[in-house]
Amino acid sequence: MDHRDHVALLRPAIEPGGWWADIGAGEGAFTLALADLLGPGGRIVAVDRDAAALSRNVEAVAQRFPATELTTAVADFTGPLRLDRTGELDGLVAANSLHFVPRDRQVDVVRALASHLRPGGRFVIVEYDADRGNPWVPHPFAFASWMRMAEAAGLAGTERIGRVPSGFLGAIYSAVSIRH
């Protein structure tokens, strides 16, 4: 996948402007896609436990999208997460990050992340469309599983918004759910 694929997977859920989080942001592939879609004046908080990866993320966004405000939070998103102005995010993206959370904790982690969204805020997932993992992607979840997980976490209106083939576990999909 490249930047065009990342943007295409997010485009149906993102409007210009607003305040978003990239959960498990790493070096920033989806942070860059968010910055591209949010445009000038958009604000992003990139969350990852790897400070070095976040530093490279900041450099990449500053170089390509200097009018986007980017802050970082070095944190494990599976634990208590402190973001400025909790409950006010317009949206968040969890791209290929939740599959590292054990299945028995996924709903609780999604519920905790969703608490950072304003009512009507969008929770966007990008994930391998499979329910069986491997050592590199231990706990993926197919779209049908995401629908059940999102509902159990208190999210509504779940719909698939994108899908691209992948040589690794067949396909990657994107979906959006809404916080009540």
Side-chain angles (χ1 to χ4, degrees), residues 6 30-31 67 70 73 85 93 96 98 104 118 123 139 154 171 173:
H6 300 149
F30 282 91
T31 309
L70 176 64
R85 298 168 40 197
V93 172
N96 298 323
L98 290 172
D104 64 342
R118 65 171 173 73
F123 194 120
H139 311 288
Y173 71 94

Side-chain angles (χ1 to χ4, degrees), residues 12-171:
I14 313 292
E15 298 170 0
W19 186 39
W20 283 70
D22 184 1
I23 304 299
E27 294 185 7
F30 282 91
T31 309
L32 288 167
L34 265 174
D36 197 353
L37 291 164
L38 292 174
R43 296 182 301 155
I44 303 168
V45 58
V47 178
D48 202 284
R49 62 183 177 191
D50 184 340
L54 286 175
S55 178
R56 290 187 290 277
N57 188 331
V58 167
E59 290 172 16
V61 171
Q63 184 178 43
R64 293 184 59 190
F65 301 101
T68 299
E69 179 185 328
L70 176 64
T71 58
T72 62
V74 178
D76 179 349
F77 68 82
T78 66
L81 187 59
R82 293 192 178 114
L83 299 176
D84 292 341
R85 298 168 40 197
T86 292
E88 295 185 22
L89 285 175
D90 295 303
L92 65 81
V93 172
N96 298 323
S97 55
L98 290 172
H99 59 232
F100 293 108
V101 178
R103 287 203 195 286
D104 64 342
R105 294 196 56 223
Q106 286 175 334
V107 170
D108 290 336
V109 169
V110 169
R111 185 180 297 112
L113 290 171
S115 73
H116 295 281
L117 296 169
R118 65 171 173 73
R122 291 158 281 172
F123 194 120
V124 179
I125 187 81
V126 177
E127 186 55 68
Y128 289 97
D129 204 0
D131 284 316
R132 296 190 66 190
N134 59 43
W136 300 276
V137 181
H139 311 288
F141 40 89
F143 177 67
S145 297
W146 170 247
M147 289 180 66
R148 290 186 298 274
M149 190 185 319
E151 182 178 3
L155 298 170
T158 299
E159 62 179 296
R160 184 168 37 207
I161 57 173
R163 193 167 195 272
V164 295
S166 173
F168 195 69
L169 296 178

